[in-house]
């Protein structure tokens, strides 16, 4: 099955769901002070992609912020959502805001081109993770029994990995490590506002933007072999210039796409490198709005 055929019908229950709500009259203020995008401009029902950052400007979480009438939701995938909750709660001093971790009691489903509504008890947001049309459906785990839109919900699989890598969507804990600055993930137009007010870690991010000199960056590669594992070194001649973070092989297309951190000087699309004994070609990042 080719990537184009896969896009006609895809529904997968995602592993490591992160669904965090912040409630209270100052919920928007709290999240805006901890994230790279301008949450203050969101209207009710609107969402945006963003990074949660710490005081050093390192990425704590990545995903979507959705503004609802009485709460702010942070939605994505994270191996330890409670750590994100603790990070947010640490910066609530006297504000009217409370953090709740819904990740264990709710389910996160990625859906593409399924012509049906999520059903009672579920919400949906546009989420171009595997294609421009993909969506995230989320709701209490108990509500899934009443939903007939997707009777079988396999968890994260090769098809998901292949398509998210093809679409340049990084994962926390795999492509996004503990000491990763948002600009190194090459999603600036969608996830970072350089005109909003102060937020945690802004000094580092603004300084890097002013200098314009990334020392490393996440890039998308086409590798002419299968079986590529994370942490496989990428070389340019005799010099090691990066390493693979995620890779997936499509048996029908006989294509391997990978995400890899590369050192400065190796970012240009068309650059030919080596991954083991295989040729690795740097591709354009397929960032979708």
């Amino acid at each position: 099955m080719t990537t184009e055929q896969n896009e006609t019908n895809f529904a997968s229950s995602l592993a490591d769901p992160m669904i965090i709500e912040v409630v209270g009259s100052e919920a928007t203020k709290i999240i805006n002070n901890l994230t790279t995008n301008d949450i203050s401009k969101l209207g009710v029902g609107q969402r945006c992609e963003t990074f949660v950052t710490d005081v050093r400007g390192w990425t704590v979480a990545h995903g979507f912020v959705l503004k609802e009438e009485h709460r702010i939701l942070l939605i994505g995938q994270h191996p330890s959502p409670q750590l994100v909750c603790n990070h947010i709660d640490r910066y609530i001093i006297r504000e009217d805001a409370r953090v709740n971790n819904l990740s264990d009691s709710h389910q996160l489903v990625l859906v593409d081109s399924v012509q049906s509504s999520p059903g009672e008890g579920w919400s949906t947001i546009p989420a171009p993770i595997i294609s421009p049309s993909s969506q995230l459906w989320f709701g209490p785990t108990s509500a899934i029994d009443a939903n007939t839109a997707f009777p079988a919900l396999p968890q994260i699989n090769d098809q998901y990995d292949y398509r998210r890598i093809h679409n340049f969507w990084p994962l926390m804990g795999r492509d996004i490590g503990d000491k990763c600055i948002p600009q190194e993930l090459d999603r600036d137009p969608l996830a970072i506002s350089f005109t909003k007010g102060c937020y945690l870690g802004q000094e580092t991010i603004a300084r890097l933007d002013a200098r314009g000199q990334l020392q490393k960056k996440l890039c998308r590669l086409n590798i002419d072999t299968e079986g590529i594992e994370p942490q496989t070194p990428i070389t340019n001649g005799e010099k090691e210039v990066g390493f693979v973070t995620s890779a997936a092989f499509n048996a029908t297309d006989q294509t391997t796409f990978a995400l890899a951190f590369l050192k400065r000087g190796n970012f240009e699309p068309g650059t030919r490198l080596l991954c083991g004994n295989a040729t690795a070609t740097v591709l354009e990042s397929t960032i979708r709005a």
Side-chain angles (χ1 to χ4, degrees), residues 28 38-48 65-73 124-126:
T28 299
D38 196 345
I39 310 305
S40 66
K41 292 183 178 180
L42 294 180
V44 174
Q46 292 184 322
R47 70 95 175 102
C48 67
V65 167
L66 172 65
K67 185 173 184 180
E68 294 188 338
E69 188 171 357
H70 301 295
R71 64 179 181 175
I72 296 287
L73 288 168
T124 180
I125 59 170

Side-chain angles (χ1 to χ4, degrees), residues 22-99:
V22 183
V23 297
S25 62
E26 295 180 283
T28 299
K29 173 185 174 182
I30 288 295
I31 294 298
N32 199 54
N33 288 344
L34 299 175
T35 56
T36 57
N37 218 334
D38 196 345
I39 310 305
S40 66
K41 292 183 178 180
L42 294 180
V44 174
Q46 292 184 322
R47 70 95 175 102
C48 67
E49 183 183 338
T50 195
F51 296 98
V52 179
T53 45
D54 68 10
V55 69
R56 297 178 180 86
W58 290 337
T59 300
V60 175
H62 169 244
F64 298 98
V65 167
L66 172 65
K67 185 173 184 180
E68 294 188 338
E69 188 171 357
H70 301 295
R71 64 179 181 175
I72 296 287
L73 288 168
L74 178 62
I75 303 167
Q77 287 179 269
H78 198 288
S80 302
Q82 188 58 48
L83 293 181
V84 184
C85 290
N86 295 345
H87 173 75
I88 296 171
D89 191 58
R90 186 178 302 122
Y91 292 95
I92 298 175
I93 309 301
R94 297 179 180 176
E95 293 84 0
D96 176 26
R98 298 175 302 284
V99 183

Side-chain angles (χ1 to χ4, degrees), residues 10 39 66 108 124 128 133 137 148 175-176 182 198 238 246:
F10 181 95
I39 310 305
L66 172 65
L108 190 62
T124 180
S133 64
W137 294 2
T148 59
D175 310 298
I176 308 174
C198 294
E238 299 296 320
S246 294

Side-chain angles (χ1 to χ4, degrees), residues 1-282:
M1 184 178 290
T2 66
T3 301
E4 288 74 16
Q5 289 172 323
N6 286 342
E7 290 180 0
T8 61
N9 189 2
F10 181 95
S12 179
S13 176
L14 297 186
D16 295 331
M18 177 185 68
I19 305 174
I20 296 169
E21 70 171 5
V22 183
V23 297
S25 62
E26 295 180 283
T28 299
K29 173 185 174 182
I30 288 295
I31 294 298
N32 199 54
N33 288 344
L34 299 175
T35 56
T36 57
N37 218 334
D38 196 345
I39 310 305
S40 66
K41 292 183 178 180
L42 294 180
V44 174
Q46 292 184 322
R47 70 95 175 102
C48 67
E49 183 183 338
T50 195
F51 296 98
V52 179
T53 45
D54 68 10
V55 69
R56 297 178 180 86
W58 290 337
T59 300
V60 175
H62 169 244
F64 298 98
V65 167
L66 172 65
K67 185 173 184 180
E68 294 188 338
E69 188 171 357
H70 301 295
R71 64 179 181 175
I72 296 287
L73 288 168
L74 178 62
I75 303 167
Q77 287 179 269
H78 198 288
S80 302
Q82 188 58 48
L83 293 181
V84 184
C85 290
N86 295 345
H87 173 75
I88 296 171
D89 191 58
R90 186 178 302 122
Y91 292 95
I92 298 175
I93 309 301
R94 297 179 180 176
E95 293 84 0
D96 176 26
R98 298 175 302 284
V99 183
N100 299 312
N101 185 6
L102 306 181
S103 308
D104 291 336
S105 60
H106 285 56
Q107 192 161 9
L108 190 62
V109 176
L110 181 64
V111 177
D112 195 19
S113 300
V114 176
Q115 303 300 315
S116 59
S117 64
E120 187 176 354
W122 286 74
S123 300
T124 180
I125 59 170
I129 294 173
I130 58 173
S131 81
S133 64
S134 61
Q135 300 177 342
L136 282 174
W137 294 2
F138 59 95
T141 302
S142 58
I144 195 170
D145 295 335
N147 190 291
T148 59
F150 32 79
L153 290 173
Q155 283 208 340
I156 187 169
N157 53 31
D158 291 342
Q159 182 190 147
Y160 169 68
D161 255 354
Y162 182 80
R163 292 188 60 189
R164 72 156 183 95
I165 292 169
H166 180 271
N167 206 53
F168 199 74
W169 183 263
L171 285 185
M172 285 296 306
R174 295 179 64 182
D175 310 298
I176 308 174
D178 293 335
K179 297 181 180 180
C180 186
I181 299 172
Q183 285 107 312
E184 295 173 341
L185 298 162
D186 202 17
R187 304 192 65 80
D188 297 14
L190 299 178
I192 304 176
S193 169
F194 293 102
T195 59
K196 67 179 282 189
C198 294
Y199 60 90
L200 197 67
Q202 182 193 31
E203 182 178 353
T204 299
I205 293 167
R207 183 168 62 246
L208 184 57
D209 179 59
R211 292 177 178 175
Q213 294 185 349
L214 283 173
Q215 298 306 308
K216 63 183 174 74
K217 188 173 75 169
L218 192 69
C219 297
R220 193 172 65 108
L221 305 178
N222 187 334
I223 303 176
D224 64 358
T225 191
E226 57 183 300
I228 300 298
E229 297 291 335
Q231 303 304 312
T232 300
I234 305 292
T235 57
N236 189 340
E238 299 296 320
K239 187 176 181 180
E240 186 172 322
V241 297
F243 61 93
V244 172
T245 58
S246 294
F249 176 71
N250 184 297
T252 301
D253 295 342
Q254 294 292 300
T255 303
T256 293
F257 284 116
L259 298 180
F261 271 110
L262 298 179
K263 293 180 181 178
R264 187 180 176 189
N266 300 276
F267 304 157
E268 188 67 26
T271 300
R272 295 173 74 83
L273 306 168
L274 286 177
C275 181
N277 295 319
T279 299
T281 305
V282 180

